[in-house]
Amino acid sequence: MDLTLKVWRQADRKSKGNFETYQIKDISPDSSFLEMLDELNEQLIREGIEPVAFDHDCREGICGMCSLFINGRAHGPGHETTTCQLHMRKFKDGDTIVIEPWRAGAFPVIKDLVVDRGAFDKILQAGGFISVNTGNAQDANAIPIKKFQSDEAMDAAACIGCGACVATCKNSSAMLFVASKVSHLALLPQGKVEAVRRAKAMVAKMDELGFGSCTNTGACEVECPKGITLTHIARLNREFLSANLKP
Amino acid sequence: MKLDGKIPAGTIAEKWSNYKASQNLVNPANKRKFDVIVVGTGLGGASAAASLAELGFKVKIFCYQDTPRRAHSIAAQGGINAAKNYQNDGDSIYRLFYDTVKGGDYRSREANVYRLAEVSNQIIDQCVAQGVPFARDYGGYLANRSFGGALVSRTFYARGQTGQQLLLGAYGALNRQIAAGNVTLYTRTEMMDLVMVDGHARGIVTRSLLDGKLDTHFGHAVVLATGGYGNVYFLSTNAMGSNISAAWRAHQKGALFANPAFVQIHPTCIPVHGTAQSKLTLMSESLRNDGRIWVPKNKEDAEKIRAGKLKPVDIPEENRDYYLERRYPAFGNLVPRDVASRAAKERCDAGYGVGTGKAVYLDFQDAIKRLGKDVIEARYGNLFQMYEKIVDHNPYETPMMIYPAIHYTMGGLWVDYELQTTIPGLFAIGEVNFSDHGANRLGASALMQGLADGYFVLPFTIQNYLADQLSLKRMDPAEHPEFKTALEQTRSRIDKLFKIKGTRSVDSIHKELGHIMWDHVGMARTKENLEAGIEKIAKLRDEFWQNVHIPGRDDTINLELEKANRLADFLELGELMARDALHREESCGGHFREEYKTEEGEALRNDKDFMYVAAWGYKGAGKAPELNKEPLSFEYIEVKTRNYK
């Protein structure tokens, strides 16, 4: 496959970025999208051009590090797919592909396609955990948990923290990300104890870090590579509401 | 060097209790006077850092990713073993210990493995308390499944994402301690060197991957939790950034490196598609419960399939060779990983491979006929979907193609019972140490070891060291000469790399190293082949230092520089692996020497001459390393030949 790539290049946080156009030839349709970028970088190095910086690590769709906006969609075409799981056979010979970083105020661009998602860590540090010290636990089977409840908690816990939800939201809201953690823990008896405090603290931190409001457009749900649904946002809203009603 | 494993006194079941009862502890008020450095945020690093901080120690933790949650433990699929015996199927701490030692082909340290089995139950308790959503049955109790090498059902799991859920649990505990101010987190930061003061590990040199800034950090002790070295083969199931550099720098400063040749090659991975391939994806071992592995019985059929003239479904039953069922009737498709991998290679080398010639079929047709598509979908739906995304074939209709790939490394830094390396004050936990899996690791045991070390072993054993360091005042790394020297050495190493200005990209050299390693230090090794490999690696290392090209600058994100730094160390490690494989004149676990096999082609151990841990000392790049031996003895297990026929 021969392709035209329009890639966002930006030297650092402060510089103004712009699109550069590159031609690339003989890409195998069996290559992954990131392998195509590897080949582009090999080509750029040969031509004496600085290679394109992009984030990636596990390349099997679970670490959440890859984060590209491809032809106007977070993680590109394809349903429930991360960028690293996207393969070139989804494109046609001769296509032009536009590649951008996540765009959100709370995720500043560091260089080229690399953004700073440290805000997600800060939200989780505000309360996205159960406060139990090592060694305090009782026997794992001491509290039976309903299967459907545990399964639903797992649905929410599948979040990989990639930030596609924020990147795709017109308000750059982090509600789906926050909701997945709040919902995962609130569904389990172990997490119920701190549920109110957790929801309050995480939402406050999210607001403080400059993420936008949720207007329930549902774009996040469409682009989430792990299929996390808006139901969890509803649960977060319930937890948050009850948090504000209780003293 | 005389290696002291520091095995505590008592019967095997009493050793850990005896150790804890008699070890030195640091009193609560003094704990905050100690700084501990943890490198790596996977299961081992995150759990250790959180647990140490809960105890009151001041912890600094480092990862090269943008957040701790991306460490490669996240990618583990299958599950985590524990001796809970919730299924009432006769499991016990002894049985888990026994299976692990046997699975490791009697090349691990008995006392360490017993302790691992002993704390396994606490891990499950701890993870449930943290909110890990393990699979449950309708009564609300925890579910289990079976894995290779065991006769009981002891594997706990969270769908196909067990590693992810366990890591998020440990990451939550870590976040809590970060918020409490007990842990300082450094992301996108790579350890470049170990700082030694008066023979003890006292700190590290780091490089910011964002702006190239070099820094030094002091710790009363340093813990490496940096994972395995599978990426020495370029293609592996490891993450792209997984590397050996932190451990290798420790090795260069005196930490012995044990059993580097013990590498696990996983039989069921998606085959290589072409030269642009950057990594390999695992298909869970659980697929072998229902899938049947085969290749065509006739070479002509295999050739036609490779040429695209025949499809697998066109091959009638009588012309298929279910070679695992043929060779190992007792275990069939569920033989251990090392055995299954070698058998696939044997068929492909003999000309019966499909696809590119380096693939065999994993076929679900019989299972679908027997159980129905719905049952197979419920069991393996997510894996089938993943396969289809990558290969674009529907495994419900045509068999999967699979081939072995590098997956896990059993070798690593030598540690004693306290998980301390041969450098005082330097500890190694998780995959980066060598201690628990011998020559072959069983499925679902890597997660167990990472969390055992981090939650329940290191937080105790490190205190036995720290208790003696109370009089050591915190050092100022900006002023201390040893720290300054180490920083300068790192600076000159980076300058040296930039100055080469050659013509080859880092990846082109890395891929070449990968081919050498796969061909010479892969699944079937011989004396001649290993010797030739050592020469090739040495040549390639010279080529690297003379002809690598690193574009760009040092004061910004520079992926090529990161990769070059890591590759430089792989080029030394690769040679050590070949030397270790050459010296070990026997076949055991993942280490198979063609010269040492039975008449039927099975691995032939030599317990008389090789029942020891080979711990290598560094003597300089390209110089013959020094061999130290830690003899292994098995008092609580009868040593037998593994037999899966």
Side-chain angles (χ1 to χ4, degrees):
Chain A
M1 298 168 78
D2 297 348
L3 301 161
T4 303
L5 305 175
K6 289 184 182 300
V7 184
W8 184 259
R9 302 300 310 255
Q10 182 171 336
D12 51 43
R13 274 174 202 260
K14 287 177 193 141
S15 307
K16 211 175 146 200
N18 61 286
F19 282 105
E20 292 285 346
T21 306
Y22 305 110
Q23 305 294 333
I24 185 162
K25 289 188 188 329
D26 297 329
I27 295 297
S28 158
D30 290 332
S31 282
S32 72
F33 196 84
L34 296 182
E35 285 165 357
M36 184 275 292
L37 284 183
D38 290 342
E39 292 204 49
L40 171 68
N41 276 344
E42 287 280 314
Q43 180 182 320
L44 294 180
I45 292 168
R46 281 196 300 274
E47 292 168 2
I49 302 170
E50 196 178 350
V52 180
F54 63 94
D55 267 333
H56 65 99
D57 203 23
C58 80
R59 296 205 178 187
E60 51 186 283
I62 192 74
C63 79
M65 191 135 175
C66 61
S67 51
L68 299 180
F69 221 70
I70 302 163
N71 287 345
R73 287 187 65 185
H75 295 301
H79 182 56
E80 296 188 8
T81 301
T82 57
T83 298
C84 64
Q85 292 177 303
L86 177 65
H87 282 71
M88 296 313 293
R89 63 179 82 92
K90 293 270 178 196
F91 299 90
K92 288 196 292 291
D93 187 37
D95 272 1
T96 297
I97 305 175
V98 181
I99 309 169
E100 296 171 81
W102 282 173
R103 306 248 187 223
F107 290 166
V109 174
I110 301 171
K111 184 176 179 176
D112 296 340
L113 304 170
V114 178
V115 300
D116 180 355
R117 285 167 288 185
F120 269 7
D121 280 338
K122 294 203 177 76
I123 292 175
L124 292 180
Q125 285 159 17
F129 46 77
I130 291 173
S131 299
V132 55
N133 280 0
T134 305
N136 281 354
Q138 57 183 335
D139 185 85
N141 257 348
I143 321 169
I145 301 172
K146 286 182 180 132
K147 181 174 164 35
F148 77 84
Q149 219 168 331
S150 170
D151 285 349
E152 210 178 340
M154 179 63 220
D155 291 341
C159 170
I160 57 173
C162 65
C165 48
V166 175
T168 202
C169 175
K170 66 186 171 78
N171 302 328
S172 300
S173 169
M175 277 293 270
L176 193 64
F177 171 77
V178 174
S180 69
K181 185 49 75 181
V182 166
S183 187
H184 156 211
L185 296 177
L187 277 161
L188 300 169
Q190 310 91 298
K192 205 70 202 164
V193 182
E194 297 170 282
V196 169
R197 191 171 67 96
R198 178 182 308 118
K200 255 180 152 168
M202 288 178 69
V203 170
K205 186 53 93 175
M206 171 180 80
D207 290 343
E208 179 196 320
L209 292 168
F211 291 98
S213 305
C214 173
T215 49
N216 272 306
T217 66
C220 50
E221 178 184 71
V222 175
E223 296 296 23
C224 174
K226 296 296 150 184
I228 293 168
T229 61
L230 289 182
T231 324
H232 300 291
I233 295 188
R235 188 170 290 107
L236 166 63
N237 283 334
R238 193 174 64 210
E239 293 292 333
F240 187 70
L241 205 63
S242 63
N244 286 322
L245 291 173
K246 282 174 197 161
Chain B
M1 186 188 286
K2 170 127 178 43
L3 290 172
D4 179 8
K6 294 195 200 154
I7 312 295
T11 65
I12 192 111
E14 293 165 352
K15 285 183 192 295
W16 184 226
S17 307
N18 287 351
Y19 176 86
K20 286 194 287 184
S22 60
Q23 70 161 121
N24 292 317
L25 291 172
V26 178
N27 104 38
N30 280 336
K31 287 195 175 92
R32 63 174 176 272
K33 294 179 186 162
F34 287 102
D35 294 340
V36 179
I37 286 173
V38 179
V39 186
T41 60
L43 287 183
S47 60
S51 303
L52 287 167
E54 285 163 10
L55 287 168
F57 295 103
K58 292 290 171 196
V59 179
K60 283 183 170 185
I61 190 163
F62 300 82
C63 64
Y64 71 78
Q65 299 91 342
D66 68 333
T67 149
R69 66 183 295 161
R70 312 227 194 273
H72 201 52
S73 303
I74 200 109
Q77 298 170 356
I80 176 166
N81 288 328
K84 280 285 192 187
N85 193 29
Y86 281 160
Q87 306 305 323
N88 195 32
D89 55 1
D91 202 6
S92 63
I93 289 168
Y94 181 84
R95 193 172 277 278
L96 175 54
F97 155 71
Y98 176 91
D99 288 346
T100 308
V101 171
K102 180 188 170 198
D105 220 355
Y106 308 93
R107 291 294 176 266
S108 50
R109 192 190 287 145
E110 220 180 30
N112 285 52
V113 180
Y114 194 90
R115 177 179 63 190
L116 175 68
E118 203 175 337
V119 302
S120 68
N121 292 339
Q122 271 179 286
I123 297 172
I124 304 303
D125 299 342
Q126 185 64 29
C127 293
V128 167
Q130 288 171 343
V132 170
F134 283 124
R136 288 172 185 271
D137 57 31
Y138 283 100
Y141 294 99
L142 292 163
N144 289 115
R145 60 184 172 201
S146 317
F147 257 69
L151 296 168
V152 294
S153 205
R154 63 159 75 98
T155 305
F156 294 80
Y157 62 100
R159 296 199 186 136
Q161 294 128 279
T162 316
Q164 179 199 27
Q165 293 310 313
L166 296 177
L167 183 60
L168 293 182
Y171 164 69
L174 181 65
N175 277 336
R176 179 168 163 247
Q177 292 305 314
I178 293 169
N182 299 326
V183 175
T184 313
L185 169 68
Y186 297 83
T187 60
R188 294 197 195 263
T189 304
E190 188 146 19
M191 171 174 159
M192 301 301 289
D193 207 353
L194 179 73
V195 182
M196 308 263 295
V197 179
D198 301 328
H200 289 244
R202 293 296 183 216
I204 60 173
V205 180
T206 59
R207 177 175 180 272
S208 159
L209 302 182
L210 293 175
D211 59 12
K213 191 171 170 289
L214 299 182
D215 218 339
T216 44
H217 301 269
F218 164 79
H220 290 84
V222 177
V223 181
L224 298 186
T226 49
Y229 48 88
N231 273 344
V232 68
Y233 292 85
F234 187 73
L235 287 181
S236 79
T237 64
N238 286 6
M240 299 301 287
S242 300
N243 68 84
I244 195 61
S245 291
W248 197 254
R249 225 28 55 69
H251 177 54
Q252 288 172 328
K253 298 232 158 160
L256 299 186
F257 205 105
N259 299 337
F262 290 168
V263 174
Q264 179 163 82
I265 296 179
H266 200 295
T268 53
C269 296
I270 298 178
V272 176
H273 64 66
T275 51
Q277 183 118 18
S278 59
K279 85 149 263 161
L280 296 169
T281 304
L282 180 76
M283 289 278 103
S284 170
E285 176 159 318
S286 58
L287 289 169
R288 286 196 278 144
N289 279 294
D290 287 307
R292 295 179 72 197
I293 295 176
W294 65 276
V295 291
K297 203 177 266 177
N298 306 315
K299 260 191 201 167
E300 306 76 61
D301 287 349
E303 278 158 17
K304 281 185 191 153
I305 283 180
R306 290 201 294 271
K309 289 176 192 155
L310 262 184
K311 291 203 170 93
V313 288
D314 301 333
I315 310 278
E317 193 63 26
E318 65 272 17
N319 288 340
R320 297 177 176 195
D321 176 15
Y322 296 91
Y323 57 87
L324 286 177
E325 297 171 28
R326 168 169 60 79
R327 286 179 65 179
Y328 309 100
F331 277 69
N333 293 296
L334 272 174
V335 290
R337 291 174 178 180
D338 50 340
V339 178
S341 292
R342 276 196 294 276
K345 181 184 186 313
E346 188 276 327
R347 283 292 83 190
C348 292
D349 288 352
Y352 296 91
V354 296
T356 59
K358 293 208 163 158
V360 299
Y361 288 127
L362 176 61
D363 199 330
F364 294 89
Q365 279 319 303
D366 286 353
I368 290 171
K369 263 181 226 153
R370 189 174 75 245
L371 304 162
K373 193 185 161 194
D374 292 352
V375 174
I376 294 300
E377 192 171 351
R379 281 185 194 167
Y380 311 113
N382 63 330
L383 294 167
F384 277 37
Q385 197 189 15
M386 194 156 131
Y387 180 85
E388 198 173 349
K389 259 182 207 165
I390 295 174
V391 185
D392 205 24
H393 290 173
N394 179 352
Y396 294 103
E397 286 161 12
T398 183
M400 280 186 182
M401 284 190 289
I402 52 157
Y403 199 66
I406 301 293
H407 181 54
Y408 184 89
T409 52
M410 282 75 69
L413 292 176
W414 185 90
V415 290
D416 59 21
Y417 190 74
E418 298 181 318
L419 306 181
Q420 188 163 213
T421 67
T422 46
I423 295 177
L426 180 70
F427 295 78
I429 61 176
E431 191 177 347
V432 74
N433 78 24
F434 86 102
S435 70
D436 293 354
H437 306 297
N440 175 53
R441 178 178 64 75
L442 290 182
S445 283
L447 302 184
M448 172 171 69
Q449 189 216 341
L451 289 181
D453 288 359
Y455 283 133
F456 298 112
V457 180
L458 180 90
F460 296 109
T461 59
I462 200 172
Q463 294 188 48
N464 205 29
Y465 170 77
L466 290 175
D468 288 338
Q469 309 297 316
L470 197 55
S471 59
L472 182 81
K473 295 221 167 53
R474 287 192 166 102
M475 296 170 186
D476 178 2
E479 297 300 325
H480 197 283
E482 302 286 356
F483 283 82
K484 284 187 184 165
T485 310
L487 189 90
E488 281 315 310
Q489 281 167 353
T490 300
R491 166 61 50 214
S492 55
R493 177 180 157 104
I494 292 169
D495 290 345
K496 193 175 161 193
L497 283 167
F498 268 113
K499 272 188 202 136
I500 299 169
K501 291 196 195 328
T503 57
R504 289 189 64 177
S505 72
V506 180
D507 276 357
S508 79
I509 298 176
H510 198 167
K511 282 182 183 181
E512 192 176 332
L513 174 65
H515 284 300
I516 297 173
M517 294 302 295
W518 183 254
D519 292 342
H520 293 266
V521 201
M523 272 189 282
R525 305 160 173 182
T526 64
K527 181 170 183 286
E528 291 72 35
N529 213 6
L530 286 163
E531 283 168 347
I534 291 169
E535 269 182 40
K536 285 188 189 174
I537 296 165
K539 258 193 204 150
L540 188 64
R541 196 169 51 233
D542 291 343
E543 165 82 358
F544 172 86
W545 284 106
Q546 283 159 21
N547 201 19
V548 76
H549 174 69
I550 299 166
R553 308 190 315 262
D554 179 32
D555 61 352
T556 169
I557 294 180
N558 189 330
L559 301 175
E560 295 302 304
L561 176 63
E562 289 172 31
K563 289 192 285 191
N565 252 318
R566 296 166 187 162
L567 178 58
D569 297 321
F570 281 136
L571 282 162
E572 291 191 12
L573 168 75
E575 184 178 328
L576 183 67
M577 290 166 70
R579 285 181 185 276
D580 185 40
L582 181 64
H583 115 282
R584 191 169 279 278
E585 296 177 333
E586 64 163 350
S587 295
C588 61
H591 168 66
F592 190 81
R593 285 281 298 265
E594 288 288 353
E595 305 95 319
Y596 308 100
K597 57 185 179 190
T598 63
E599 277 174 19
E600 293 124 330
E602 303 302 330
L604 191 62
R605 262 189 356 244
N606 177 352
D607 291 337
K608 190 172 133 289
D609 298 319
F610 290 97
M611 198 180 265
Y612 61 79
V613 175
W616 300 91
Y618 187 78
K619 294 286 162 196
K623 303 237 170 71
E626 174 197 58
L627 174 62
N628 303 274
K629 296 176 184 177
E630 181 199 350
L632 294 169
S633 62
F634 295 90
E635 288 176 58
Y636 296 89
I637 284 184
E638 189 197 344
V639 178
K640 292 185 200 158
T641 301
R642 291 194 308 167
N643 181 5
Y644 298 98
K645 294 192 185 277

